[in-house]
């Protein structure tokens, strides 16, 4: 039997849902707007997309998105389609053209969101997935259990390489596990990539020589391909252990090529996720989106954080993190590490752990660490102890009684 | 004075619009959620984004998009921000992280759409733009004036290489200027790219040898980078004159690398445009989006068509086409050719020409050509004559009196 690709959607339509499902299946495979004589039954059987499931959820009076066909009622449903792999082969770019191409604009569609994706093993044969994942990240950071405690260089842009290195010095002396560039900091003339890497790695290496612990720094190498390769090589040569790329900005080919070249974990930033997801009736759920980037090679994937400063609900954050912790497919789990950030402190440790049931994650706090009255080291310590309490199931206040840094943190976290 | 990047947005906010504008400017440059001691006035002056313009359009009672801050009223406005080029340098991926990154998710935002982009000349020095554009496409197709008359191979997928070549034979014998693969047709086992190119180019070359006119065929080479390069080389070796890539599926790095390698015009398909644009309160307008792809090297850009079969309005289609025909910047026009398709016939010739004032475009019709009772040659002839009438300002019915193929087409186009 042929391998098939399965994609699920939330669909709203002013048409008969069965007709709309057939139109989408046709448009995204052998069909088009009009019946063609050479779209034979044999061709349709071999190449047509199949409606695997259509479940009516309810009806609404008006369309969620404008421009489509007019109707008195709009039906909302769950739709699952499948395609034979013969249509496009195990190719991520062509997969995306098929499952998320010209279907959002159909007149029969007044709402469409890609909610799920199930890929056949041939994709795992064609794409390598993360080279480091959870295990490799733990090895390189020396964090054998519990979360990787991280932070972000701030201000986002504007610091010189030396100013950046000074901030990093404070952090590594405070015992941080992980530091990342802001996604806006790449290779601008104010803070050239090469100078920043050299200045920062001098500090990181010195501390590693002293203590045996090397902090992982995700340098944002986002750029054109040659630039990314050259920047990666510099990070590697300077003893760095991570690079970061903004996924939507480089695209699938960019990440795939970086993965082919890279000898370091790839920290995948999701900037731009909002334009793909902020309308609940349009675009992408995180689950299918992150599968594609994991296949292409992302080791870490941002998932926002509980009680974040953005507009995303906790439910959506946890669903995203669970997706990153789930196998890409049974035959090829391709584990990656979810990255929690945005307004994070130790207060989110227990609920995050409770929701996930594991601590295979990077927890990145900015103000939650820098704001500590006892300084950065106390801030790192407090966040780490909040996780110890979470994992041991001890209430934060109780654990704080034996940990002054945590005690002091509770004052400003609240 | 430093170069600055200008981006315009349609913004809806539950906050004071001036506060919201400052939050967006801060979040996308030197600021973050909390005031930091090292975000000095000097740093803010050198690296902060500036609110250049804020014009209130009106107020609404409820938010367009969920998840943001609650308010009694939501203000809609035009917002223009600017950034110093020093923040990111002339880099398309980092430009996208900056102008379309983590701003759509802000709590102060209940609607945000990127509507315009003005780039400084350093981007034109860093990126080549289209290698062929309008002039090169006219030279290679031999169409010195009027539109390039085109069509699409259908069914979208399922035809074998030989069946595809048979369809192409009919088209080139009918005098077509341009043929494209469907965006779902790439390199699946049912119709391998290499076999398809060889079979199709045999037909195209034979016809060119006979008549001196070589039809341009846009072969969809969308895939991983090595695949795209290898496929390009095959098309070139077989005498082909165009390659096609699905822009959202390969990403900016993918297109930039293809452009660096390519000796042929790049036909840029916009599949997936719907998830970027179908909600009027979210995402991207076509004008800024196509600028990025033209800088990266797209020669042709799809703009849908008047009276199309999708949900896009004529107004939006024409705005998109005008954007493609406008200079990327005064210092570097980087002309590209808009591609009209979807439900197109000769009936759209006159209104398209009237709206654009020129015919520097590809007009692709499927059923509008194949459905002609006199056959494909008559279909091509009818579409071409409809354009002659449009350009000469002669009513279609009047022109049809002297052109039987057009006369016959009027019956089934309506």
């Amino acid at each position: 039997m042929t391998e098939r690709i399965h994609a699920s959607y939330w669909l709203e339509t002013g048409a008969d849902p069965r007709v709309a499902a057939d139109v989408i299946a046709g448009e995204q495979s052998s069909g088009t707007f009009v019946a063609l004589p050479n779209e034979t039954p044999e061709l349709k059987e071999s190449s047509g997309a199949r409606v695997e499931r259509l479940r009516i959820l309810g009806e609404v009076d008006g369309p969620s998105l404008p421009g489509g066909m007019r109707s008195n009622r709009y039906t909302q449903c769950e739709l699952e389609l499948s395609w034979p792999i013969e249509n496009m082969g195990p190719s991520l770019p062509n997969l995306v053209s098929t499952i998320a191409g010209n279907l959002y604009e159909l007149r029969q569609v007044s709402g469409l969101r890609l909610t799920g994706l199930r890929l056949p093993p041939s994709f795992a044969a064609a794409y390598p997935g993360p080279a480091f994942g959870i295990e490799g990240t733990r090895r390189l950071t020396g964090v054998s259990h519990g979360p990787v405690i991280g932070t972000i260089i701030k201000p986002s842009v504007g610091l010189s390489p030396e100013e950046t290195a000074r901030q990093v010095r404070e952090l590594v002396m405070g015992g941080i596990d992980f530091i990342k560039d802001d996604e806006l900091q790449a290779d601008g003339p104010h803070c050239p990539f090469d100078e920043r890497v050299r200045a920062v790695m001098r500090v990181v290496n010195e501390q590693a020589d002293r203590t045996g612990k090397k902090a992982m720094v995700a340098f944002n190498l986002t750029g054109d391909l040659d630039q990314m390769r050259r920047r990666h090589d510099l990070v590697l040569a300077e003893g760095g252990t991570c690079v970061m790329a903004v996924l939507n900005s480089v695209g699938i080919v960019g990440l795939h090529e970086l993965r082919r070249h890279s000898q370091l974990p790839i920290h995948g930033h999701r900037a731009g996720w909002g334009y793909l997801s902020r309308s609940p009736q349009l675009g992408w759920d995180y689950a299918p989106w992150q599968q594609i980037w994991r296949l292409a090679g992302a080791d870490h994937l941002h998932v926002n954080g509980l009680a974040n400063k953005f507009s995303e609900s906790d439910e959506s954050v946890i669903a995203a993190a669970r997706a990153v912790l789930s196998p890409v497919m049974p035959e090829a789990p391709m584990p990656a590490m979810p990255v929690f950030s945005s307004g994070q402190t130790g207060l989110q440790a227990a609920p995050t752990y409770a929701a996930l049931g594991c601590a295979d994650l990077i927890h990145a706090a900015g103000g939650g660490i820098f704001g500590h009255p006892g300084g950065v080291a106390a801030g790192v310590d407090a966040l780490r102890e909040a996780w110890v309490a979470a994992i041991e199931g001890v209430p934060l206040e109780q654990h704080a009684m034996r940990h002054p840094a945590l005690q002091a943190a509770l004052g400003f976290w609240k």
Side-chain angles (χ1 to χ4, degrees), chain A residues 94-156:
Chain A
N94 290 302
L95 171 75
V96 171
S97 301
T98 302
I99 63 170
N102 272 348
L103 59 175
Y104 295 89
E105 290 138 297
L106 291 170
R107 293 177 67 79
Q108 290 83 355
V109 164
S110 63
L112 191 73
R113 195 166 166 102
L114 179 60
T115 53
L117 179 59
R118 210 164 79 234
L119 294 174
S122 57
F123 273 87
Y127 291 95
F132 292 84
I134 295 168
E135 184 275 332
T137 301
R138 289 199 177 282
R139 181 165 37 82
L140 288 172
T141 55
V143 179
S144 57
H145 60 278
V148 174
I149 299 295
T151 193
I152 303 158
I153 299 290
K154 292 279 177 184
S156 313

Side-chain angles (χ1 to χ4, degrees), chain A residues 286 290 294 301-303 319-326 334-338:
Chain A
Y286 198 71
Q290 59 86 36
R294 275 162 73 191
L301 280 152
H302 276 249
V303 298
R322 283 191 183 138
V324 174
L325 289 166
S326 300
M334 299 188 168
M337 213 158 192

Side-chain angles (χ1 to χ4, degrees), chain A residues 190-205:
Chain A
H190 275 175
C191 189
F193 186 86
D194 294 5
E195 288 180 42
R196 184 167 80 252
V197 170
R198 289 196 183 98
V200 166
M201 286 313 300
R202 199 173 304 129
V203 166
V204 169
N205 288 329

Side-chain angles (χ1 to χ4, degrees), chain A residues 22 50 63 85 92 97 107 133 152 208 215 228 287 289 346 350 355 377 408:
Chain A
D22 285 340
R50 242 186 246 156
I85 185 90
L92 288 180
S97 301
R107 293 177 67 79
I152 303 158
M228 291 200 289
W289 187 83

Side-chain angles (χ1 to χ4, degrees), chain A residues 241-365:
Chain A
T241 55
C242 189
V243 294
M244 162 173 151
V246 180
L247 305 176
N248 289 318
S249 300
V250 301
I252 292 173
V253 167
L255 189 72
H256 181 56
E257 287 301 313
L258 176 60
R259 167 65 178 86
R260 278 162 43 106
H261 181 80
S262 184
Q263 298 178 48
L264 299 170
I266 299 171
H267 188 81
H269 199 283
R270 70 176 199 179
W273 173 242
Y275 64 68
L276 297 174
S277 66
R278 180 77 194 270
S279 165
Q281 294 89 19
L282 182 65
W284 294 67
D285 270 2
Y286 198 71
W289 187 83
Q290 59 86 36
Q291 265 177 285
I292 290 166
W293 296 106
R294 275 162 73 191
L295 276 160
D299 293 279
H300 308 157
L301 280 152
H302 276 249
V303 298
N304 209 340
L306 292 184
N308 62 75
K309 305 282 179 129
F310 288 105
S311 52
E312 189 176 3
S313 71
D314 287 353
E315 188 191 358
S316 167
V317 170
I318 291 301
R322 283 191 183 138
V324 174
L325 289 166
S326 300
V328 165
M329 61 186 77
E331 301 83 357
M334 299 188 168
M337 213 158 192
V339 183
F340 288 77
S341 70
S342 173
Q344 296 299 290
T345 71
L347 298 182
Q348 285 100 327
T352 302
Y353 184 69
L356 294 184
C358 81
D360 289 331
L361 55 91
I362 297 173
H363 199 189

Side-chain angles (χ1 to χ4, degrees), chain A residues 149-154 167 171 176-181 362-367 369-370 380:
Chain A
I149 299 295
T151 193
I152 303 158
I153 299 290
K154 292 279 177 184
Q167 196 171 115
L171 287 161
I176 198 99
D177 303 322
F178 176 89
I179 303 169
K180 68 176 276 289
D181 280 336
I362 297 173
H363 199 189
I369 285 175
F370 280 102
V380 171

